Amino acid sequence: MRPRVEHGSLDEGVPRALPEELVTVLASRAGVRIERIVSRGHVTPPGEWYDQAEDEFVLLVQGAARLEFEDIDLELRAGDWVDLPAHVRHRVAWTAPGEDTVWLVVFRPASMG
Amino acid sequence: MRPRVEHGSLDEGVPRALPEELVTVLASRAGVRIERIVSRGHVTPPGEWYDQAEDEFVLLVQGAARLEFEDIDLELRAGDWVDLPAHVRHRVAWTAPGEDTVWLVVFRPASMG
């Protein structure tokens, strides 16, 4: 059987109301998961941190955000990317209010401790 | 040692003259390679096809392009993504002339075939 070519647009399927961040898996195979995340002013709850078992690459496709690490903050705008090794504690401190911030995120197996 | 958080922008390091498509590896770990590709009217040479051993996910971040498959063509504009399983023959039939078409590409081990 011919393998299927999946395709779509990052603009698809974003509801008018977005009470929580929207996570959509676009592709998931061979231990690699590619997601679209749409934030509309959403942030990681105060005092909470992500501490993930997988390596995570993020591209900010649209909008603006601020990522907070234990030592520095990173201001992100469209076209900015960050490669986060597993277990680097981070949080989303800010996303632009009143507009959609769109991320493309690639989770893959951790390559180190 | 603390793992390093790499970051950058897709706008960085694009030369004024681009005689060939520009391929820049942003991250490469655990069998997964994430690249930025910049095309400025470049296409796959006529009659040539990509037939790759890896699964390839592409996001068209900026610009416009047409991908050709053996049975169909796909017109792509900013925000469109395509997930290409290994060995699905394809070629870039057209990219917008006079502007930069920017792709984010994720190569990962083939999951079938």
Side-chain angles (χ1 to χ4, degrees):
Chain A
M1 206 182 80
R2 186 87 171 273
R4 190 181 162 82
V5 175
E6 305 277 354
H7 60 97
S9 165
L10 295 186
D11 296 335
E12 289 170 348
V14 179
R16 191 170 298 238
L18 210 60
E20 298 187 5
E21 208 175 57
L22 177 70
V23 178
T24 308
V25 177
L26 305 178
S28 185
R29 288 204 301 270
V32 180
R33 194 169 72 261
I34 301 174
E35 298 178 347
R36 174 193 64 183
I37 299 178
V38 181
S39 318
R40 200 176 286 164
H42 300 101
V43 299
T44 312
E48 287 188 21
W49 294 83
Y50 292 112
D51 181 347
Q52 296 165 164
E54 296 171 298
D55 286 354
E56 177 184 5
F57 178 97
V58 303
L59 171 68
L60 197 146
V61 178
Q62 173 189 310
R66 191 172 64 249
L67 283 189
E68 184 181 349
F69 299 90
E70 290 180 323
D71 44 1
I72 56 157
D73 284 13
L74 275 183
E75 306 276 349
L76 303 179
R77 57 191 185 83
D80 288 344
W81 59 268
V82 185
D83 192 18
L84 296 160
H87 299 302
V88 169
R89 281 159 54 94
H90 62 282
R91 53 191 302 280
V92 179
W94 177 84
T95 61
E99 66 172 307
D100 286 359
T101 292
V102 179
W103 315 75
L104 187 85
V105 185
V106 182
F107 290 103
R108 57 224 203 269
S111 57
M112 49 173 118
Chain B
M1 207 183 79
R2 186 89 171 272
R4 191 182 162 84
V5 175
E6 304 277 356
H7 60 96
S9 164
L10 296 186
D11 296 334
E12 288 169 348
V14 180
R16 190 171 296 238
L18 210 60
E20 297 186 6
E21 209 174 56
L22 176 70
V23 178
T24 308
V25 176
L26 306 179
S28 184
R29 287 204 302 269
V32 180
R33 195 171 72 260
I34 302 175
E35 297 179 348
R36 174 194 64 183
I37 298 179
V38 181
S39 317
R40 200 175 286 163
H42 300 101
V43 299
T44 312
E48 287 188 22
W49 294 82
Y50 292 112
D51 181 349
Q52 296 165 164
E54 296 170 297
D55 286 354
E56 178 184 5
F57 178 97
V58 302
L59 170 69
L60 198 146
V61 178
Q62 173 190 311
R66 189 171 67 249
L67 283 188
E68 184 181 349
F69 298 91
E70 289 180 324
D71 45 2
I72 57 157
D73 284 12
L74 275 183
E75 306 275 349
L76 303 179
R77 56 190 186 84
D80 287 344
W81 60 267
V82 185
D83 192 18
L84 297 159
H87 300 302
V88 170
R89 281 159 54 94
H90 63 283
R91 53 190 302 281
V92 179
W94 177 84
T95 59
E99 67 171 306
D100 285 359
T101 291
V102 179
W103 316 75
L104 187 85
V105 184
V106 182
F107 290 103
R108 57 223 204 271
S111 58
M112 49 173 118

